[in-house]
Amino acid sequence: MAKITHRGGWVKISSLNKEDKKNYLISITMFFIGAIFWGIHLTSVDGVMGPAQDVDPTSTFFGIIRLFIVFFWSMAVYFYNKFLKTQDELFHRYSYYIGAWGSIGFVCFGMLMSIFSPYLGFVVGFYECFLALCIGTFIGGFIFDKKYLRNE
C-alpha cells in the first residue's frame, strides 16, 4: 500500500509494489508531459503569467498542443485510477480529503481574490482560481498528515 510522506504532500514510491509503482509512475509522467504542453498553451491566453504573447491562439499549432494536453492528462487519469483501485481505505480517505480541501481552497481563496481584485487591479480568471485550488489541496494534505498520520 502507498505510504504518504512529506507531511501529506507526496507518496513514497519505494513503498509501492511493482504494478502499483508502474501505474503511479506512468500517471505522473503523463501528467508532467501534459503540463509541458499546458505551459505552451499558456503563452496563447491571458492569465497569471501576464497577457498573451503575440501569437494566433486559434492556429493549428495551438490546436494540436491542446489535443496533446487532453490526451496526456486523460492517460494520467486512467493510470492513476488503476493505481487508486488497489490502495487501502486510508489512501482513499487521503484522496477524498485533499480533493475536498482543494474545493474549499477554490471557494475561499478564489472568493478572496475576487473580492480584492478591483482594489488591486487584476482580473480573476481560471488560472487564479486553479492556484486557489492548489493551495487548498496542499493545506488539506498537511491537515490530513497531522490528523491521521502523526501521533503528536
Side-chain angles (χ1 to χ4, degrees):
M1 293 299 128
K3 182 177 179 186
I4 302 162
T5 62
H6 293 85
R7 308 270 313 161
W10 195 251
V11 173
K12 187 173 183 179
I13 295 172
S14 63
S15 71
L16 303 174
N17 66 36
K18 185 177 179 180
E19 185 66 22
D20 288 345
K21 188 182 292 188
K22 180 188 89 163
N23 288 331
Y24 187 76
L25 290 176
I26 289 173
S27 173
I28 293 297
T29 302
M30 293 292 157
F31 173 76
F32 282 126
I33 292 171
I36 291 169
F37 291 114
W38 181 261
I40 295 169
H41 157 76
L42 288 178
T43 65
S44 70
V45 296
D46 291 339
V48 174
M49 301 173 78
Q53 300 295 315
D54 190 20
V55 295
D56 178 14
T58 60
S59 69
T60 304
F61 173 76
F62 283 107
I64 292 169
I65 291 297
R66 293 175 184 121
L67 286 175
F68 282 160
I69 295 167
V70 171
F71 171 76
F72 283 108
W73 282 359
S74 296
M75 295 303 295
V77 168
Y78 172 77
F79 282 100
Y80 187 78
N81 280 331
K82 283 180 70 170
F83 161 74
L84 191 58
K85 286 179 182 177
T86 63
Q87 299 308 304
D88 62 354
E89 180 66 30
L90 181 67
F91 194 82
H92 283 240
R93 183 179 293 179
Y94 168 73
S95 294
Y96 297 142
Y97 208 85
I98 63 171
W101 271 94
S103 299
I104 291 169
F106 174 81
V107 171
C108 294
F109 294 119
M111 178 181 62
L112 287 174
M113 282 190 285
S114 176
I115 289 170
F116 291 119
S117 68
Y119 304 108
L120 300 175
F122 69 91
V123 177
V124 176
F126 171 80
Y127 303 106
E128 289 81 10
C129 289
F130 181 74
L131 180 63
L133 179 128
C134 292
I135 292 169
T137 301
F138 286 120
I139 290 171
F142 181 77
I143 292 172
F144 183 87
D145 179 72
K146 189 172 182 178
K147 184 174 182 178
Y148 294 103
L149 303 177
R150 301 274 176 213
N151 294 326
E152 297 179 41

